[in-house]
Amino acid sequence: MFHYEDFHYNFIFKATFSLYIQLSIFSTVNMRSTEFKVCLIYALKDLTSRKTRTAFTILGIIVGIAAMTSLMTIGTGMKVEIEREVTELLGSSILLRDREQSPIPMYVAFVVNQIPGVNETIPLAFGTGSTNGNPTLIFGVPPHRISIYAPITAGRNIGSDFAYEALITTDTAKKLKVNVGDKVTITTTASPTPKVFTLVGIVAQGSLLQMALAGGMPVMVVSLAQAQQLLNLRGSVSMIVVRVSNPMLINSVVESIKEYYPVVEVITQEDILHTVSSIISTINAVLLAIASLSLIVAALGIINTMTMTVREKTREIGILKAIGAERWHVFTIFIGQAVVMGFLGGIIGVTTGFIGAYGIIEYYLPRMLRVPLQIPFVVSMDTAIEGVILALIVSSFSAFLPSWKAANIRPVEALRYE
Amino acid sequence: MNEIIIELVDVKKIYTLTKEIQVHALRGVDLRVSRGELLIIMGPSGSGKTTLLQIIGTLDKPTSGRVIIDGIDVTDFNENQLARLRREKIGFVFQFFNLIPTLTAIENVMFPMLLAGKYTKEEALKRAQLLLTVVGLEKERWMNTPRKLSGGQQQKVAIARALANNPKYVLMDEPTGNLDVYSSAKVLDTVKWLNQFYGQTFIVVTHNPEVAEMGSRLIYIRDGRIMGSPKTLIRLDTLQLSKEEIKMRLEAQLDLLKIELSSAKRRNAESKIIDEIEEKISRTEEKLRGL
């Protein structure tokens, strides 16, 4: 879905751009270069003689282009980051879970383990509970598997399956104001009697994925057996991670699993990437639509300015024509002003957009989402060029009609005009 | 020498205001203008003289009749062809100067040259400097925009601009209409000098008898027709003004010149300027005595 839209968007964009280029080449061929230069200089002098009006028109373009650029930069960065985390975490693994989200019997893991091509299966149990009275996601993993997915950055791993020991993420530690060595009490609806766990270590966990799983909730990692007890999942698990020895075998493994356990839902890395991408591109599309509104407002601003300028300059256009300016000279003078404003607005807008995106990625998003996001900030040349071209297209298209009107003013009427 | 550069053949112009109301601005005008003439077109308001000027200037097209300029029938030219014709063969000077406000004096003169593409930028600059010298604009004013120039200075720039592409003829619409006596005299002197020295053809529409005096030929237009085109110049007394009116105007003119003279003396103006004014005063006094 995303790729299709991407293609569609690019296609329209490139088609418009090539039309624009063709038009400019056509008109340049028709003009002798000195005349063209003279008209452009005239246009520039005109613009600088109305500094305030020009500045505000350019500002309109800047706002529109900056909004587009920053949203595109953030959107691309977010997509790249999520894809990276999913790929890193999942690799050539597949996930099994029940279609209705109910627990899967533990033995499924053992059976799936026997399928050719499966390296190992890791059962996971998770659910909500509370730690020291705060809502928490309780995450049960076989202790010897934890380090594969989340490196332990401080303290040590959980000693055994039945130890009352827990690991927390850096973020959770901060949120609950606890540290390694502290004791915490965990309760769940299935096990209301408080159980005391000792925090033995801190794990680093992909922040975006944590956000996706827990919705920003604190995460408490315990052994699988403890989680099963806390969440009342005896003999069952929430999800099974199946590690396949070779990515080429994923499809055949998926086939076999589906054959044995049709009730089980199989999620591959591709599925997740696909879902994530389509969600992000939908959000991006909505945001871009809002940003394009500001571009429409900028276009209206240009139409307004140019129409006013042409009206004010009716007499001047008459003089120009009397002293020998042809239609395209007048047209060039006015469309030239719009192109100059579009170009300046585009360049400044793209720059402002990148600065804005940097600010949002570095300072605003982490605070708003309360997770340490590491969205990469990339200054994409493509985005920059597209931004400038978009500004040029918007400005020259909106100035087209006023300029055309100006070009067609008859000298007699213009000289009579007071 | 007697080369015809403008020929109008039975030119009519009808403005249709509504279905019922039609204004016959020109009712069949035949006119020939030779190279080197300084033709004055006079006539009351609404007589059609502005329309005639616009048709001679190819700014407007006749409803019927032919317009032949420099041997070419331009009646059916399209707008761009006319624009090219104007910038190569016709110069314009308007009552309200009509300089381009964003360009400096010298740029205003250069603009039509660069638009015509006949000259390089350097040539255009040199020509513009020479033209401004010819029309007598002080060098320190050349880089000024029109806003920083007086009316007379602006009109000088306008004349220089009209001459930019070495036109076949220059059209002037009330060239002194917005100028004081002194500036008017300067501008008219320039025109006369250009006509006599360079043989530059001028066609001037005016109300002002002072302007009319300098012409080599005068035509009087009334109600869309050329009323008379005598070989010799029509003098003030042959204009359709009563003796009292002429007397009143001449007296006013004399007063204006006297004020001008005292002001020039106060400013320690050049003796040449003072002489000019004194000469004008004696001329006006002579005319007054002749009444």
Side-chain angles (χ1 to χ4, degrees), chain A residues 183-218:
Chain A
K183 287 189 190 311
V184 293
T185 52
I186 300 179
T187 53
T188 61
T189 34
S191 148
T193 347
K195 292 204 169 79
V196 179
F197 283 75
T198 312
L199 299 177
V200 291
I202 289 179
V203 288
Q205 198 177 359
S207 41
L208 274 175
L209 213 69
Q210 179 194 332
M211 193 176 75
L213 276 174
M217 243 199 277

Side-chain angles (χ1 to χ4, degrees), chain A residues 127-140:
Chain A
T128 48
S130 77
T131 305
N132 287 353
N134 299 296
T136 337
L137 181 82
I138 292 156
F139 203 82

Side-chain angles (χ1 to χ4, degrees), chain B residues 47-70:
Chain B
S47 60
K49 61 183 191 309
T50 302
T51 308
L52 181 62
L53 193 81
Q54 280 168 353
I55 285 172
I56 296 173
T58 71
L59 294 173
D60 208 352
K61 286 183 171 195
T63 313
S64 72
R66 311 303 293 175
V67 180
I68 297 144
I69 286 166
D70 207 22

Side-chain angles (χ1 to χ4, degrees), chain A residues 42 45 321 324 326 412, chain B residues 59 79 84 86-87 100 107:
Chain A
Y42 192 104
K45 290 217 167 199
K321 289 201 155 184
E326 287 168 50
V412 183
Chain B
L59 294 173
E79 219 196 289
R84 280 193 285 272
R86 282 196 293 269
R87 72 172 179 242
I100 307 296
E107 284 169 340

Side-chain angles (χ1 to χ4, degrees), chain A residues 214-392:
Chain A
M217 243 199 277
V219 178
M220 194 61 66
V221 181
V222 295
S223 70
L224 177 66
Q226 289 292 2
Q228 281 175 319
Q229 279 205 344
L230 282 167
L231 301 164
N232 198 16
L233 289 171
R234 276 158 225 281
S236 302
V237 289
S238 314
M239 191 183 268
I240 301 166
V241 179
V242 181
R243 300 188 65 189
V244 182
S245 57
N246 185 338
M248 308 289 282
L249 295 172
I250 287 178
N251 281 342
S252 74
V253 171
V254 168
E255 286 307 304
S256 313
I257 296 171
K258 276 185 178 163
E259 203 176 306
Y260 294 128
Y261 297 100
V263 281
V264 166
E265 191 185 1
V266 183
I267 305 162
T268 60
Q269 181 194 323
E270 236 173 88
D271 294 330
I272 294 181
L273 283 182
H274 198 83
T275 316
V276 169
S277 289
S278 71
I279 292 171
I280 291 178
S281 54
T282 310
I283 296 172
N284 268 354
V286 171
L287 290 177
L288 280 179
I290 296 168
S292 65
L293 270 183
S294 58
L295 216 55
I296 291 172
V297 173
L300 290 175
I302 296 168
I303 294 175
N304 187 28
T305 314
M306 294 307 290
T307 311
M308 265 170 68
T309 308
V310 169
R311 264 189 88 89
E312 281 170 13
K313 288 189 168 285
T314 305
R315 196 177 174 83
E316 197 175 313
I317 294 163
I319 304 163
L320 284 177
K321 289 201 155 184
I323 63 175
E326 287 168 50
R327 257 163 149 178
W328 69 260
H329 289 132
V330 177
F331 186 76
T332 309
I333 285 171
F334 285 96
I335 207 89
Q337 297 186 8
V339 169
V340 169
M341 289 195 287
F343 187 70
L344 284 177
I347 299 263
I348 303 172
V350 164
T351 316
T352 322
F354 280 133
I355 294 170
Y358 181 79
I360 291 171
I361 286 172
E362 287 293 307
Y363 304 105
Y364 182 66
L365 273 188
R367 272 180 213 173
M368 190 186 73
L369 300 174
R370 301 219 200 122
V371 282
L373 276 176
Q374 267 121 31
I375 297 177
F377 170 69
V378 182
V379 177
S380 138
M381 234 21 230
D382 275 5
T383 310
I385 292 169
E386 279 175 1
V388 175
I389 291 172
L390 193 65
L392 282 176

